[in-house]
């Protein structure tokens, strides 16, 4: 199995940037890897996913960029123009078995990291 390990969260002012990293522990990322986020009392929501192509939630398009470094077996989420509403715990998720449908759904992913807090102050 592959265990995602997130890093890079923190506190930033509105308009600032952060880069999150998701490293694979165990095996390599071979199928979709995604970022989700969650705030208290809300469901975990899709942010972005990557395999060979990239996919984004509408509310982050143009501001966030997902990328991967296969040599380092790491997926990144570059977050620019951050807004207070981006404040959340961000989770990295990976697929064991390739599922191309519903890659925006939490049920499409088998492995989850522990999460990293991103706080954007106004």
């Amino acid at each position: 199995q592959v265990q995602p390990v997130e890093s890079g969260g923190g506190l930033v002012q509105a308009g600032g940037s952060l880069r999150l990293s998701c490293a694979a522990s165990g095996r390599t990322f071979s199928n979709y890897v995604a970022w989700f986020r969650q705030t208290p009392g809300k469901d975990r929501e899709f942010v972005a996913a990557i395999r060979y192509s990239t996919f984004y939630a509408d509310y982050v398009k143009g501001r966030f960029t997902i990328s991967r470094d296969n040599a380092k077996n790491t997926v990144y989420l570059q977050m620019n123009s951050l807004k207070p509403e981006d404040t959340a715990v961000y989770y990295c998720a990976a697929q064991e078995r390739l599922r191309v449908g519903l890659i925006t759904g939490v049920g499409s992913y088998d492995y989850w990291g522990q999460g990293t807090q991103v706080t954007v102050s106004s």
Side-chain angles (χ1 to χ4, degrees), residues 4-9 19-23 29 32-38 44-50 55-57 59-60 64-68 74-79 89-94 103-104 106 109 112-116 118:
V5 180
E6 305 102 334
S7 61
R19 188 178 79 159
L20 305 183
S21 298
C22 175
F29 291 137
Y32 279 100
V33 179
W35 288 95
F36 287 76
R37 67 188 186 186
Q38 189 170 25
R44 200 164 292 189
E45 64 179 11
F46 173 77
V47 174
I50 187 168
F55 302 88
Y56 296 94
Y59 37 81
V60 304
F64 291 10
T65 302
I66 190 170
S67 62
R68 65 194 304 164
T74 300
V75 170
Y76 302 98
L77 185 68
Q78 178 67 43
M79 305 185 294
V89 177
Y90 283 71
Y91 296 90
C92 180
I103 61 168
T104 61
V106 295
Y109 298 88
W112 293 83
Q114 79 286 354
T116 185
V118 171

Side-chain angles (χ1 to χ4, degrees), residues 2 18 36 51 65 78 84 86-87 89 101-102 112 114 117:
V2 57
L18 279 175
F36 287 76
R51 185 175 179 234
T65 302
Q78 178 67 43
D86 293 318
T87 295
V89 177
L102 291 177
W112 293 83
Q114 79 286 354
Q117 176 71 46

